[in-house]
Short mmCIF file of all heavy atoms in Angstrom, two decimals:
data_model
loop_
_atom_site.label_atom_id
_atom_site.label_comp_id
_atom_site.label_asym_id
_atom_site.label_seq_id
_atom_site.Cartn_x
_atom_site.Cartn_y
_atom_site.Cartn_z
N MET A 248 34.81 63.45 65.71
CA MET A 248 35.30 64.83 65.83
C MET A 248 34.24 65.80 65.32
O MET A 248 33.50 65.48 64.41
CB MET A 248 36.57 65.00 65.00
CG MET A 248 37.73 64.12 65.44
SD MET A 248 38.39 64.56 67.05
CE MET A 248 39.72 65.68 66.56
N ALA A 249 34.22 66.97 65.93
CA ALA A 249 33.28 68.00 65.50
C ALA A 249 34.03 69.32 65.36
O ALA A 249 35.06 69.51 65.99
CB ALA A 249 32.17 68.14 66.52
N THR A 250 33.51 70.18 64.53
CA THR A 250 34.13 71.48 64.32
C THR A 250 33.38 72.54 65.12
O THR A 250 32.16 72.63 65.03
CB THR A 250 34.12 71.84 62.83
OG1 THR A 250 34.80 70.81 62.12
CG2 THR A 250 34.81 73.16 62.57
N TYR A 251 34.12 73.31 65.91
CA TYR A 251 33.53 74.37 66.72
C TYR A 251 34.10 75.71 66.27
O TYR A 251 35.27 75.78 65.89
CB TYR A 251 33.86 74.15 68.20
CG TYR A 251 33.29 72.86 68.73
CD1 TYR A 251 34.03 71.69 68.72
CD2 TYR A 251 31.99 72.82 69.21
CE1 TYR A 251 33.50 70.50 69.18
CE2 TYR A 251 31.45 71.63 69.67
CZ TYR A 251 32.20 70.48 69.65
OH TYR A 251 31.68 69.30 70.10
N ALA A 252 33.26 76.72 66.33
CA ALA A 252 33.69 78.06 65.90
C ALA A 252 34.08 78.90 67.11
O ALA A 252 33.40 78.88 68.14
CB ALA A 252 32.57 78.74 65.13
N TYR A 253 35.17 79.63 66.98
CA TYR A 253 35.63 80.57 68.01
C TYR A 253 35.86 81.91 67.36
O TYR A 253 36.04 81.99 66.14
CB TYR A 253 36.93 80.07 68.65
CG TYR A 253 36.72 78.86 69.52
CD1 TYR A 253 36.76 77.58 68.97
CD2 TYR A 253 36.46 78.98 70.88
CE1 TYR A 253 36.54 76.46 69.75
CE2 TYR A 253 36.25 77.86 71.67
CZ TYR A 253 36.29 76.61 71.10
OH TYR A 253 36.07 75.51 71.86
N ARG A 254 35.84 82.97 68.18
CA ARG A 254 36.07 84.30 67.61
C ARG A 254 37.17 85.01 68.39
O ARG A 254 36.99 85.37 69.55
CB ARG A 254 34.78 85.12 67.64
CG ARG A 254 34.97 86.47 66.98
CD ARG A 254 33.65 87.21 66.82
NE ARG A 254 33.85 88.37 65.98
CZ ARG A 254 33.82 88.34 64.65
NH1 ARG A 254 33.57 87.22 64.03
NH2 ARG A 254 34.04 89.43 63.96
N CYS A 255 38.28 85.24 67.70
CA CYS A 255 39.37 86.02 68.29
C CYS A 255 38.97 87.49 68.22
O CYS A 255 38.50 87.94 67.18
CB CYS A 255 40.66 85.78 67.51
SG CYS A 255 41.99 86.90 67.98
N PRO A 256 39.17 88.25 69.31
CA PRO A 256 38.81 89.69 69.26
C PRO A 256 39.63 90.46 68.23
O PRO A 256 39.17 91.47 67.71
CB PRO A 256 39.09 90.19 70.68
CG PRO A 256 39.80 89.09 71.40
CD PRO A 256 39.65 87.82 70.62
N ALA A 257 40.83 89.99 67.90
CA ALA A 257 41.68 90.70 66.93
C ALA A 257 41.60 90.12 65.52
O ALA A 257 41.56 90.86 64.54
CB ALA A 257 43.14 90.68 67.40
N CYS A 258 41.57 88.78 65.40
CA CYS A 258 41.68 88.14 64.08
C CYS A 258 40.35 87.68 63.48
O CYS A 258 40.31 87.33 62.30
CB CYS A 258 42.61 86.94 64.16
SG CYS A 258 44.18 87.28 64.96
N GLY A 259 39.32 87.61 64.28
CA GLY A 259 38.04 87.14 63.74
C GLY A 259 37.81 85.67 64.02
O GLY A 259 38.47 85.08 64.87
N THR A 260 36.87 85.08 63.28
CA THR A 260 36.47 83.70 63.58
C THR A 260 37.46 82.69 63.03
O THR A 260 38.13 82.92 62.03
CB THR A 260 35.08 83.40 62.99
OG1 THR A 260 35.10 83.70 61.61
CG2 THR A 260 34.00 84.20 63.67
N PHE A 261 37.55 81.56 63.73
CA PHE A 261 38.33 80.42 63.28
C PHE A 261 37.67 79.16 63.81
O PHE A 261 36.85 79.22 64.73
CB PHE A 261 39.80 80.53 63.74
CG PHE A 261 39.99 80.58 65.23
CD1 PHE A 261 40.21 79.42 65.95
CD2 PHE A 261 39.92 81.80 65.90
CE1 PHE A 261 40.40 79.47 67.33
CE2 PHE A 261 40.09 81.85 67.28
CZ PHE A 261 40.33 80.69 67.99
N ASP A 262 37.98 78.04 63.21
CA ASP A 262 37.38 76.76 63.61
C ASP A 262 38.40 75.89 64.33
O ASP A 262 39.58 75.92 64.02
CB ASP A 262 36.87 76.01 62.38
CG ASP A 262 35.70 76.70 61.72
OD1 ASP A 262 34.99 77.45 62.40
OD2 ASP A 262 35.51 76.48 60.50
N GLU A 263 37.91 75.14 65.30
CA GLU A 263 38.74 74.16 66.02
C GLU A 263 38.05 72.82 65.89
O GLU A 263 36.83 72.73 66.07
CB GLU A 263 38.79 74.52 67.51
CG GLU A 263 39.75 75.62 67.87
CD GLU A 263 41.19 75.12 67.99
OE1 GLU A 263 41.42 74.09 68.63
OE2 GLU A 263 42.07 75.80 67.44
N THR A 264 38.82 71.79 65.58
CA THR A 264 38.25 70.45 65.51
C THR A 264 38.57 69.74 66.82
O THR A 264 39.73 69.66 67.22
CB THR A 264 38.83 69.68 64.32
OG1 THR A 264 38.57 70.45 63.14
CG2 THR A 264 38.16 68.33 64.16
N ARG A 265 37.53 69.29 67.50
CA ARG A 265 37.66 68.65 68.81
C ARG A 265 36.74 67.44 68.86
O ARG A 265 35.77 67.40 68.12
CB ARG A 265 37.21 69.61 69.92
CG ARG A 265 37.94 70.91 69.96
CD ARG A 265 38.97 70.88 71.04
NE ARG A 265 39.82 72.07 70.93
CZ ARG A 265 40.74 72.38 71.82
NH1 ARG A 265 40.89 71.64 72.90
NH2 ARG A 265 41.50 73.43 71.65
N PRO A 266 37.01 66.51 69.78
CA PRO A 266 36.05 65.42 69.96
C PRO A 266 34.70 66.00 70.38
O PRO A 266 34.64 67.02 71.09
CB PRO A 266 36.66 64.58 71.08
CG PRO A 266 38.11 64.92 71.06
CD PRO A 266 38.19 66.36 70.62
N MET A 267 33.61 65.37 69.93
CA MET A 267 32.26 65.82 70.23
C MET A 267 32.07 66.03 71.74
O MET A 267 32.41 65.17 72.54
CB MET A 267 31.28 64.75 69.74
CG MET A 267 29.85 65.17 69.76
SD MET A 267 29.43 66.21 68.36
CE MET A 267 29.14 65.00 67.11
N GLY A 268 31.57 67.22 72.11
CA GLY A 268 31.27 67.50 73.51
C GLY A 268 32.48 67.90 74.34
O GLY A 268 32.36 68.09 75.54
N GLU A 269 33.65 68.06 73.71
CA GLU A 269 34.85 68.42 74.47
C GLU A 269 35.41 69.78 74.07
O GLU A 269 36.61 70.01 74.16
CB GLU A 269 35.93 67.34 74.32
CG GLU A 269 35.54 66.05 75.00
CD GLU A 269 36.65 65.01 74.92
OE1 GLU A 269 37.80 65.38 74.70
OE2 GLU A 269 36.31 63.82 75.07
N ALA A 270 34.55 70.65 73.59
CA ALA A 270 35.01 71.98 73.20
C ALA A 270 35.02 72.90 74.42
O ALA A 270 33.99 73.08 75.07
CB ALA A 270 34.10 72.56 72.12
N PRO A 271 36.17 73.48 74.77
CA PRO A 271 36.21 74.41 75.90
C PRO A 271 35.52 75.73 75.55
O PRO A 271 35.32 76.05 74.37
CB PRO A 271 37.70 74.62 76.14
CG PRO A 271 38.37 74.29 74.86
CD PRO A 271 37.48 73.29 74.15
N GLU A 272 35.15 76.49 76.60
CA GLU A 272 34.51 77.80 76.40
C GLU A 272 35.43 78.78 75.68
O GLU A 272 34.97 79.62 74.92
CB GLU A 272 34.12 78.40 77.75
CG GLU A 272 32.84 77.81 78.34
CD GLU A 272 31.64 78.03 77.43
OE1 GLU A 272 31.38 79.20 77.08
OE2 GLU A 272 31.00 77.04 77.07
N ARG A 273 36.74 78.69 75.96
CA ARG A 273 37.70 79.61 75.34
C ARG A 273 38.92 78.82 74.89
O ARG A 273 39.32 77.87 75.58
CB ARG A 273 38.15 80.69 76.34
CG ARG A 273 37.01 81.51 76.90
CD ARG A 273 37.50 82.60 77.84
NE ARG A 273 37.98 83.76 77.10
CZ ARG A 273 37.19 84.77 76.73
NH1 ARG A 273 35.93 84.78 77.05
NH2 ARG A 273 37.67 85.78 76.05
N VAL A 274 39.50 79.19 73.76
CA VAL A 274 40.76 78.59 73.32
C VAL A 274 41.69 79.72 72.87
O VAL A 274 41.24 80.85 72.66
CB VAL A 274 40.57 77.58 72.14
CG1 VAL A 274 39.71 76.40 72.54
CG2 VAL A 274 40.02 78.26 70.90
N ALA A 275 42.97 79.40 72.71
CA ALA A 275 43.93 80.40 72.23
C ALA A 275 43.81 80.52 70.72
O ALA A 275 43.71 79.52 70.01
CB ALA A 275 45.34 79.99 72.62
N CYS A 276 43.81 81.74 70.23
CA CYS A 276 43.77 81.99 68.78
C CYS A 276 45.01 81.37 68.13
O CYS A 276 46.12 81.51 68.65
CB CYS A 276 43.75 83.50 68.53
SG CYS A 276 43.96 83.95 66.80
N PRO A 277 44.86 80.66 67.00
CA PRO A 277 46.01 80.03 66.35
C PRO A 277 47.01 81.06 65.79
O PRO A 277 48.17 80.75 65.55
CB PRO A 277 45.38 79.19 65.23
CG PRO A 277 44.04 79.77 65.01
CD PRO A 277 43.60 80.36 66.31
N ARG A 278 46.58 82.31 65.57
CA ARG A 278 47.46 83.33 65.00
C ARG A 278 48.14 84.17 66.08
O ARG A 278 49.35 84.35 66.07
CB ARG A 278 46.69 84.25 64.06
CG ARG A 278 46.60 83.67 62.66
CD ARG A 278 45.72 84.51 61.76
NE ARG A 278 44.48 83.79 61.56
CZ ARG A 278 43.39 84.30 61.01
NH1 ARG A 278 43.36 85.54 60.62
NH2 ARG A 278 42.31 83.57 60.85
N CYS A 279 47.34 84.71 67.03
CA CYS A 279 47.94 85.64 68.00
C CYS A 279 47.88 85.11 69.43
O CYS A 279 48.33 85.78 70.35
CB CYS A 279 47.26 87.00 67.90
SG CYS A 279 45.55 86.97 68.47
N ALA A 280 47.31 83.92 69.64
CA ALA A 280 47.23 83.29 70.96
C ALA A 280 46.33 84.02 71.95
O ALA A 280 46.36 83.72 73.14
CB ALA A 280 48.62 83.04 71.54
N ALA A 281 45.52 84.96 71.48
CA ALA A 281 44.59 85.64 72.37
C ALA A 281 43.48 84.67 72.79
O ALA A 281 43.10 83.79 72.02
CB ALA A 281 43.98 86.84 71.67
N SER A 282 42.99 84.82 74.01
CA SER A 282 41.91 83.98 74.50
C SER A 282 40.64 84.32 73.70
O SER A 282 40.23 85.47 73.65
CB SER A 282 41.70 84.25 75.98
OG SER A 282 40.60 83.51 76.45
N SER A 283 40.06 83.29 73.04
CA SER A 283 38.94 83.53 72.14
C SER A 283 37.72 82.74 72.58
O SER A 283 37.81 81.53 72.78
CB SER A 283 39.33 83.12 70.73
OG SER A 283 40.54 83.73 70.35
N PRO A 284 36.58 83.40 72.76
CA PRO A 284 35.37 82.70 73.20
C PRO A 284 34.73 81.88 72.08
O PRO A 284 34.85 82.23 70.90
CB PRO A 284 34.44 83.83 73.65
CG PRO A 284 34.87 85.00 72.84
CD PRO A 284 36.35 84.84 72.61
N ARG A 285 34.06 80.84 72.49
CA ARG A 285 33.35 79.99 71.54
C ARG A 285 32.13 80.73 71.00
O ARG A 285 31.47 81.47 71.72
CB ARG A 285 32.91 78.71 72.26
CG ARG A 285 32.28 77.71 71.35
CD ARG A 285 32.13 76.40 72.09
NE ARG A 285 31.19 75.55 71.39
CZ ARG A 285 30.67 74.45 71.89
NH1 ARG A 285 30.97 74.08 73.11
NH2 ARG A 285 29.84 73.73 71.19
N GLN A 286 31.85 80.51 69.72
CA GLN A 286 30.67 81.10 69.09
C GLN A 286 29.54 80.09 69.13
O GLN A 286 29.73 78.94 68.73
CB GLN A 286 30.98 81.44 67.62
CG GLN A 286 32.03 82.50 67.47
CD GLN A 286 31.55 83.84 67.93
OE1 GLN A 286 30.72 84.45 67.28
NE2 GLN A 286 32.02 84.29 69.07
N TRP A 287 28.37 80.51 69.58
CA TRP A 287 27.23 79.60 69.64
C TRP A 287 26.38 79.75 68.40
O TRP A 287 25.23 80.14 68.43
CB TRP A 287 26.42 79.84 70.92
CG TRP A 287 27.24 79.44 72.09
CD1 TRP A 287 27.98 80.27 72.88
CD2 TRP A 287 27.45 78.12 72.57
NE1 TRP A 287 28.64 79.51 73.82
CE2 TRP A 287 28.33 78.20 73.66
CE3 TRP A 287 27.00 76.86 72.17
CZ2 TRP A 287 28.75 77.07 74.36
CZ3 TRP A 287 27.42 75.75 72.88
CH2 TRP A 287 28.28 75.86 73.95
N THR A 288 27.01 79.47 67.27
CA THR A 288 26.29 79.51 66.00
C THR A 288 26.44 78.16 65.34
O THR A 288 27.22 77.34 65.78
CB THR A 288 26.89 80.58 65.07
OG1 THR A 288 28.27 80.30 64.90
CG2 THR A 288 26.71 81.97 65.63
N ALA A 289 25.72 77.95 64.29
CA ALA A 289 25.86 76.75 63.48
C ALA A 289 26.62 77.15 62.23
O ALA A 289 26.03 77.60 61.26
CB ALA A 289 24.50 76.18 63.13
N PRO A 290 27.96 77.06 62.23
CA PRO A 290 28.76 77.58 61.12
C PRO A 290 28.38 77.00 59.76
O PRO A 290 28.32 77.72 58.78
CB PRO A 290 30.19 77.18 61.48
CG PRO A 290 30.16 76.59 62.82
CD PRO A 290 28.76 76.41 63.26
N LEU A 291 28.12 75.71 59.70
CA LEU A 291 27.78 75.12 58.41
C LEU A 291 26.45 75.65 57.89
O LEU A 291 26.30 75.88 56.70
CB LEU A 291 27.74 73.59 58.51
CG LEU A 291 29.13 72.95 58.71
CD1 LEU A 291 29.01 71.46 58.89
CD2 LEU A 291 30.04 73.27 57.54
N LEU A 292 25.50 75.86 58.80
CA LEU A 292 24.21 76.40 58.36
C LEU A 292 24.35 77.84 57.91
O LEU A 292 23.73 78.24 56.94
CB LEU A 292 23.18 76.32 59.50
CG LEU A 292 22.67 74.92 59.82
CD1 LEU A 292 21.68 74.99 60.96
CD2 LEU A 292 22.01 74.30 58.60
N ALA A 293 25.18 78.61 58.62
CA ALA A 293 25.34 80.02 58.26
C ALA A 293 25.99 80.19 56.90
O ALA A 293 25.65 81.10 56.15
CB ALA A 293 26.17 80.72 59.34
N GLN A 294 26.92 79.28 56.56
CA GLN A 294 27.62 79.40 55.27
C GLN A 294 26.81 78.83 54.12
O GLN A 294 27.09 79.10 52.97
CB GLN A 294 28.94 78.62 55.32
CG GLN A 294 29.97 79.23 56.25
CD GLN A 294 31.13 78.30 56.51
OE1 GLN A 294 31.25 77.26 55.87
NE2 GLN A 294 31.97 78.66 57.45
N MET A 295 25.83 78.00 54.45
CA MET A 295 25.10 77.28 53.42
C MET A 295 24.23 78.21 52.57
O MET A 295 23.62 79.13 53.07
CB MET A 295 24.23 76.22 54.11
CG MET A 295 23.73 75.16 53.17
SD MET A 295 22.71 73.97 54.06
CE MET A 295 23.94 73.11 55.01
N ASN A 296 24.21 77.92 51.30
CA ASN A 296 23.36 78.64 50.35
C ASN A 296 21.89 78.47 50.77
O ASN A 296 21.49 77.36 51.10
CB ASN A 296 23.70 77.97 49.01
CG ASN A 296 22.77 78.27 47.89
OD1 ASN A 296 21.57 78.48 48.09
ND2 ASN A 296 23.30 78.26 46.69
N PRO A 297 21.10 79.56 50.79
CA PRO A 297 19.70 79.46 51.26
C PRO A 297 18.87 78.45 50.48
O PRO A 297 18.02 77.77 51.05
CB PRO A 297 19.16 80.87 51.07
CG PRO A 297 20.35 81.75 50.98
CD PRO A 297 21.48 80.92 50.45
N ALA A 298 19.10 78.33 49.17
CA ALA A 298 18.33 77.37 48.35
C ALA A 298 18.66 75.94 48.78
O ALA A 298 17.77 75.10 48.89
CB ALA A 298 18.64 77.57 46.87
N LEU A 299 19.94 75.68 49.04
CA LEU A 299 20.35 74.34 49.49
C LEU A 299 19.78 74.06 50.88
O LEU A 299 19.28 72.97 51.14
CB LEU A 299 21.88 74.24 49.52
CG LEU A 299 22.44 72.92 50.03
CD1 LEU A 299 21.94 71.75 49.20
CD2 LEU A 299 23.97 72.95 49.99
N ARG A 300 19.80 75.06 51.75
CA ARG A 300 19.27 74.89 53.10
C ARG A 300 17.79 74.53 53.05
O ARG A 300 17.33 73.62 53.73
CB ARG A 300 19.48 76.18 53.90
CG ARG A 300 19.20 76.01 55.35
CD ARG A 300 19.47 77.27 56.15
NE ARG A 300 20.17 78.28 55.36
CZ ARG A 300 20.43 79.50 55.78
NH1 ARG A 300 20.08 79.88 56.97
NH2 ARG A 300 21.04 80.35 55.03
N SER A 301 17.01 75.24 52.21
CA SER A 301 15.58 74.93 52.14
C SER A 301 15.34 73.57 51.48
O SER A 301 14.43 72.84 51.87
CB SER A 301 14.81 76.04 51.43
OG SER A 301 15.11 76.05 50.06
N ALA A 302 16.20 73.19 50.54
CA ALA A 302 16.06 71.87 49.91
C ALA A 302 16.34 70.77 50.93
O ALA A 302 15.63 69.76 50.97
CB ALA A 302 17.02 71.74 48.73
N LEU A 303 17.34 70.97 51.79
CA LEU A 303 17.65 69.97 52.81
C LEU A 303 16.52 69.90 53.85
O LEU A 303 16.17 68.81 54.30
CB LEU A 303 18.98 70.30 53.49
CG LEU A 303 20.22 70.07 52.62
CD1 LEU A 303 21.46 70.57 53.33
CD2 LEU A 303 20.37 68.60 52.25
N ALA A 304 15.94 71.04 54.21
CA ALA A 304 14.83 71.05 55.16
C ALA A 304 13.64 70.31 54.57
O ALA A 304 12.96 69.55 55.26
CB ALA A 304 14.45 72.49 55.51
N ARG A 305 13.40 70.53 53.28
CA ARG A 305 12.29 69.87 52.59
C ARG A 305 12.53 68.36 52.51
O ARG A 305 11.61 67.57 52.71
CB ARG A 305 12.20 70.46 51.18
CG ARG A 305 11.00 70.05 50.41
CD ARG A 305 11.11 70.70 49.03
NE ARG A 305 10.12 70.14 48.15
CZ ARG A 305 9.16 70.86 47.58
NH1 ARG A 305 9.07 72.13 47.84
NH2 ARG A 305 8.31 70.28 46.78
N GLU A 306 13.77 67.95 52.24
CA GLU A 306 14.11 66.54 52.17
C GLU A 306 13.87 65.88 53.53
O GLU A 306 13.30 64.80 53.63
CB GLU A 306 15.57 66.36 51.76
CG GLU A 306 15.96 64.90 51.62
CD GLU A 306 17.45 64.67 51.73
OE1 GLU A 306 18.20 65.60 52.06
OE2 GLU A 306 17.86 63.53 51.49
N GLU A 307 14.31 66.57 54.59
CA GLU A 307 14.14 66.02 55.94
C GLU A 307 12.65 65.88 56.27
O GLU A 307 12.22 64.87 56.81
CB GLU A 307 14.83 66.94 56.94
CG GLU A 307 14.99 66.34 58.30
CD GLU A 307 15.95 67.16 59.14
OE1 GLU A 307 17.10 67.34 58.74
OE2 GLU A 307 15.51 67.63 60.20
N LYS A 308 11.86 66.89 55.93
CA LYS A 308 10.43 66.87 56.19
C LYS A 308 9.76 65.73 55.42
O LYS A 308 8.85 65.07 55.92
CB LYS A 308 9.83 68.21 55.79
CG LYS A 308 8.36 68.33 56.09
CD LYS A 308 7.82 69.66 55.58
CE LYS A 308 6.31 69.65 55.60
NZ LYS A 308 5.75 70.66 54.72
N SER A 309 10.23 65.46 54.21
CA SER A 309 9.60 64.44 53.36
C SER A 309 9.77 63.02 53.92
O SER A 309 9.08 62.10 53.50
CB SER A 309 10.13 64.51 51.94
OG SER A 309 11.42 63.97 51.87
N GLN A 310 10.69 62.86 54.87
CA GLN A 310 10.89 61.53 55.45
C GLN A 310 9.67 61.07 56.25
O GLN A 310 9.36 59.89 56.29
CB GLN A 310 12.13 61.50 56.34
CG GLN A 310 13.40 61.62 55.52
CD GLN A 310 14.64 61.76 56.38
OE1 GLN A 310 14.56 61.79 57.60
NE2 GLN A 310 15.77 61.87 55.74
N ASP A 311 8.98 62.01 56.92
CA ASP A 311 7.80 61.60 57.68
C ASP A 311 6.52 62.26 57.23
O ASP A 311 5.44 61.87 57.64
CB ASP A 311 8.02 61.79 59.19
CG ASP A 311 8.47 63.18 59.54
OD1 ASP A 311 7.91 64.14 59.01
OD2 ASP A 311 9.40 63.31 60.34
N ALA A 312 6.60 63.28 56.37
CA ALA A 312 5.40 63.93 55.85
C ALA A 312 5.59 64.28 54.38
O ALA A 312 5.73 65.44 54.01
CB ALA A 312 5.09 65.20 56.66
N PRO A 313 5.68 63.26 53.51
CA PRO A 313 5.93 63.54 52.10
C PRO A 313 4.80 64.33 51.43
O PRO A 313 3.63 64.17 51.78
CB PRO A 313 6.06 62.14 51.48
CG PRO A 313 5.39 61.23 52.41
CD PRO A 313 5.49 61.84 53.77
N GLU A 314 5.19 65.20 50.51
CA GLU A 314 4.19 65.93 49.73
C GLU A 314 3.81 65.01 48.58
O GLU A 314 4.65 64.63 47.77
CB GLU A 314 4.79 67.23 49.19
CG GLU A 314 5.08 68.23 50.29
CD GLU A 314 5.74 69.50 49.76
OE1 GLU A 314 5.67 69.76 48.55
OE2 GLU A 314 6.32 70.21 50.57
N VAL A 315 2.54 64.65 48.52
CA VAL A 315 2.08 63.69 47.52
C VAL A 315 1.31 64.43 46.43
O VAL A 315 0.46 65.26 46.72
CB VAL A 315 1.17 62.62 48.17
CG1 VAL A 315 0.66 61.64 47.13
CG2 VAL A 315 1.95 61.88 49.25
N VAL A 316 1.61 64.12 45.18
CA VAL A 316 0.87 64.69 44.06
C VAL A 316 -0.37 63.83 43.87
O VAL A 316 -0.28 62.62 43.60
CB VAL A 316 1.73 64.71 42.78
CG1 VAL A 316 0.90 65.19 41.60
CG2 VAL A 316 2.95 65.58 42.98
N VAL A 317 -1.54 64.43 44.05
CA VAL A 317 -2.79 63.69 43.95
C VAL A 317 -3.23 63.59 42.49
O VAL A 317 -3.69 62.56 42.04
CB VAL A 317 -3.88 64.34 44.83
CG1 VAL A 317 -5.20 63.62 44.67
CG2 VAL A 317 -3.43 64.33 46.28
N ARG A 318 -3.08 64.69 41.74
CA ARG A 318 -3.43 64.64 40.33
C ARG A 318 -2.53 65.60 39.57
O ARG A 318 -1.99 66.54 40.15
CB ARG A 318 -4.91 65.02 40.13
CG ARG A 318 -5.25 66.42 40.57
CD ARG A 318 -6.76 66.64 40.53
NE ARG A 318 -7.11 67.88 41.20
CZ ARG A 318 -7.26 69.05 40.57
NH1 ARG A 318 -7.11 69.13 39.26
NH2 ARG A 318 -7.57 70.14 41.25
N ALA A 319 -2.38 65.33 38.28
CA ALA A 319 -1.55 66.18 37.45
C ALA A 319 -2.21 67.54 37.30
O ALA A 319 -3.44 67.64 37.25
CB ALA A 319 -1.36 65.53 36.09
N SER A 320 -1.40 68.60 37.24
CA SER A 320 -1.98 69.93 37.09
C SER A 320 -2.64 70.05 35.72
O SER A 320 -2.18 69.46 34.74
CB SER A 320 -0.89 70.99 37.27
OG SER A 320 0.09 70.83 36.28
N GLY A 321 -3.74 70.78 35.66
CA GLY A 321 -4.44 71.00 34.38
C GLY A 321 -5.46 69.93 34.06
O GLY A 321 -6.15 70.02 33.06
N THR A 322 -5.59 68.91 34.90
CA THR A 322 -6.59 67.88 34.65
C THR A 322 -7.68 68.00 35.71
O THR A 322 -7.44 68.51 36.80
CB THR A 322 -5.99 66.45 34.73
OG1 THR A 322 -5.46 66.26 36.04
CG2 THR A 322 -4.91 66.25 33.71
N THR A 323 -8.87 67.56 35.37
CA THR A 323 -9.95 67.58 36.34
C THR A 323 -10.15 66.16 36.89
O THR A 323 -9.92 65.18 36.18
CB THR A 323 -11.26 68.08 35.71
OG1 THR A 323 -11.51 67.32 34.53
CG2 THR A 323 -11.16 69.55 35.33
N ARG A 324 -10.57 66.13 38.13
CA ARG A 324 -10.74 64.83 38.77
C ARG A 324 -12.12 64.27 38.44
O ARG A 324 -13.09 65.02 38.39
CB ARG A 324 -10.61 65.06 40.28
CG ARG A 324 -10.49 63.78 41.06
CD ARG A 324 -10.20 64.11 42.50
NE ARG A 324 -9.43 63.00 43.08
CZ ARG A 324 -8.86 63.06 44.25
NH1 ARG A 324 -8.93 64.15 44.96
NH2 ARG A 324 -8.19 62.03 44.71
N ARG A 325 -12.21 62.99 38.17
CA ARG A 325 -13.51 62.38 37.87
C ARG A 325 -14.03 61.62 39.06
O ARG A 325 -13.29 60.99 39.74
CB ARG A 325 -13.39 61.42 36.69
CG ARG A 325 -13.02 62.18 35.46
CD ARG A 325 -12.94 61.28 34.28
NE ARG A 325 -12.44 62.12 33.16
CZ ARG A 325 -12.89 61.97 31.92
NH1 ARG A 325 -13.79 61.10 31.62
NH2 ARG A 325 -12.40 62.73 30.98
ZN1 ZN B 603 43.95 86.24 67.05
#
């Protein structure tokens, strides 16, 4: 299952949980039943704290391009 975001013109955004790849373009708003278009955003990324987002990006990057410490700071290389 995946969560998809929709935006009701009257009530604002809401989430619908649907099987992956089976989200319709429009669904009825759970509050007022108005036809609501799907939002093409990444809701979890938008809500995520920027520091956490950059930490996750850094973690993902480190899987194939780790940042390696060559020498301790303040020491000279011989
Ligand atoms: Zn509504």
